[in-house]
Amino acid sequence: MEKLDPLFQPLQVRDLEIRGRLTMAPMTRNYSPDGVPPDFAVEFYGRRADHDLGLVVTEGIAIDHPSAIGESGTGGWDIPDLHGDAALGEWARIVRRVKSSGAAIFPQLWHQGGLRVDYTGRHKEARSISPSGIWGPDDPGNFFAQDYLDRARASSHPATDEELADIVAAYGRSAKNAIEAGFDGIAIHGAHGYLLDTFFWPLTNRRTDRWGGASLRERAAFPAAVVREIRQQIGDKPIMFRFSQWKLHDYEAKLVTSPAELEALLGPLLEAGVDIFDASTRKFATPAFEGSTLSLAAWTKTVTGSLTMAVGGVGLAKDLLNRSGAEVVSVDNIDDARAMLRNGECDLVGVGRSLLSNPDFGSRVRSGEPLRPYTLEAALTKV
C-alpha cells in the first residue's frame, strides 16, 4: 500500500521533520557568474520540491572566503556564494519557495581547495590553497582539460595555520548566514577531491602538524574542526556531511578499505556534530567492501549509528563516470532504494541527474509512471 511506501515516510532530524526520504542531491549548475542565484533558480528548485521531495540540497555554494572558488579548465565554475546582501536575498527567495511546497532545504557549503586555479574567479587576488600544496595523482585520467591540469598543478600552496583558521571561521559565518536566510540545516561538501576531502587523503595531506598525520583520525581533524564551528554557530539545526571514496581527479581512489577504517574516518566528524552522512557513490547500491553486500551508506550507518543518505545513479542505467552527451536511459532501480530503507541500510535517498530530466520525479515514483531518460538538454535545463 502507498501509505507504507518508505520513500514517503517522515524522518525526524533534531528539531526538523522531513516529510519524506526522497532528496534532491547537490548538482553544479554553472549559472551564477556573479555569485548571485539567477531569477530562474527560484522555480528550478521549487518545481522539483512541489513533487513529493522531502529535502532539497542545493548546488555547491562557496563559503565566504576569497580562496573558495575559481574557474575550471572546461568553463566557469560560476557557483553562488553566501557573501553579500544580494546573494543572501536571492537564496532567501529560493528557500521560501521550496518550503512553501512542504520540503526542507539545506545549502551545500563548499571550498574548492587545490582544484581552484590561482588568481581566478571572483577573487583574482587570492591564492589557491590545499593541505600540502599537492594537486593530486600524476595520471588523473581524462576528466580534466590539459590546459586546466597544467595550471592547477602549479597553483596551490600549503595552507598556513592562520589561513586554515580563517577558513574554519568562514564556514561558520556562512552557515550562520544561511540559517538566518531561512535554510533548515547545513550540508557540507567534504568529498570528490575538494578542500576538506584532501585533508582525508594521504596523497594530498602530508602535514605533520595538528591537521595531518599517519592515521585516518588524525587527517580528519581539520574537517572535524569545520563541523564543530558550524555546530557552534547554528545550534540545534541539522548538519549533513558529504564524503566519498572517489575523486574528480581519481575515480578509483579509496580512502578506506574496510569498515574499521570507515569508522576511524567518520568518528571524529560524528563527535563534532554531524547528523547525516551523505555517502556519495557512483551507484548507490554497489557493495562497499569485499566480502559484503552492504553499500557505503549501509556500512556508514552500521559503524556510526548515524542517519545516512544513499546517492548515485538513482533512476539511471549509467553512473557518473559513464556520462556523455548521449542519452542515458532510465532504469527502474527504485525498489532497490525502497529495500535499503526498509532494511535500515539508509535513511534518505539522494536523486541527482534524474531530477534534471524529471522535475516531477517524486510524483512519477509515487504513481509508478516511467522516468524520462537523462539527456544533454536535461543537463543544461533552467526549468
Side-chain angles (χ1 to χ4, degrees), residues 25-44:
M27 292 175 283
T28 299
R29 302 301 300 133
N30 292 336
Y31 287 133
S32 303
D34 298 319
V36 178
D39 285 343
F40 69 78
V42 175
E43 286 305 313
F44 171 80

Side-chain angles (χ1 to χ4, degrees), residues 38-171:
D39 285 343
F40 69 78
V42 175
E43 286 305 313
F44 171 80
Y45 285 109
R47 185 182 177 200
R48 285 152 179 81
D50 287 341
H51 292 277
D52 290 311
L53 295 186
L55 174 64
V56 169
V57 183
T58 74
E59 63 204 280
I61 300 177
I63 62 169
D64 180 18
H65 192 275
S67 68
I69 201 75
E71 298 170 351
S72 79
T74 56
W77 283 97
D78 295 342
I79 306 301
D81 57 32
L82 289 171
H83 180 57
D85 292 341
L88 284 168
E90 287 304 302
W91 277 117
R93 288 181 63 213
I94 293 168
V95 166
R96 289 192 296 270
R97 173 65 179 87
V98 168
K99 293 170 76 167
S100 73
S101 76
I105 181 169
F106 295 176
Q108 188 192 55
L109 301 187
W110 185 34
H111 188 295
Q112 199 176 358
L115 288 175
R116 176 185 182 269
V117 176
D118 268 348
Y119 312 122
T120 61
R122 295 188 292 277
H123 295 280
K124 292 184 170 44
E125 78 286 359
R127 295 235 27 212
S128 297
I129 66 172
S130 62
S132 302
I134 300 168
W135 183 85
D138 292 333
D139 182 11
N142 61 1
F143 189 89
F144 295 109
Q146 189 61 48
D147 173 64
Y148 165 78
L149 286 174
D150 293 341
R151 292 185 296 141
R153 282 173 167 157
S155 65
S156 78
H157 75 280
T160 67
D161 204 56
E162 182 179 13
E163 286 171 325
L164 293 178
D166 287 345
I167 287 172
V168 169
Y171 270 102

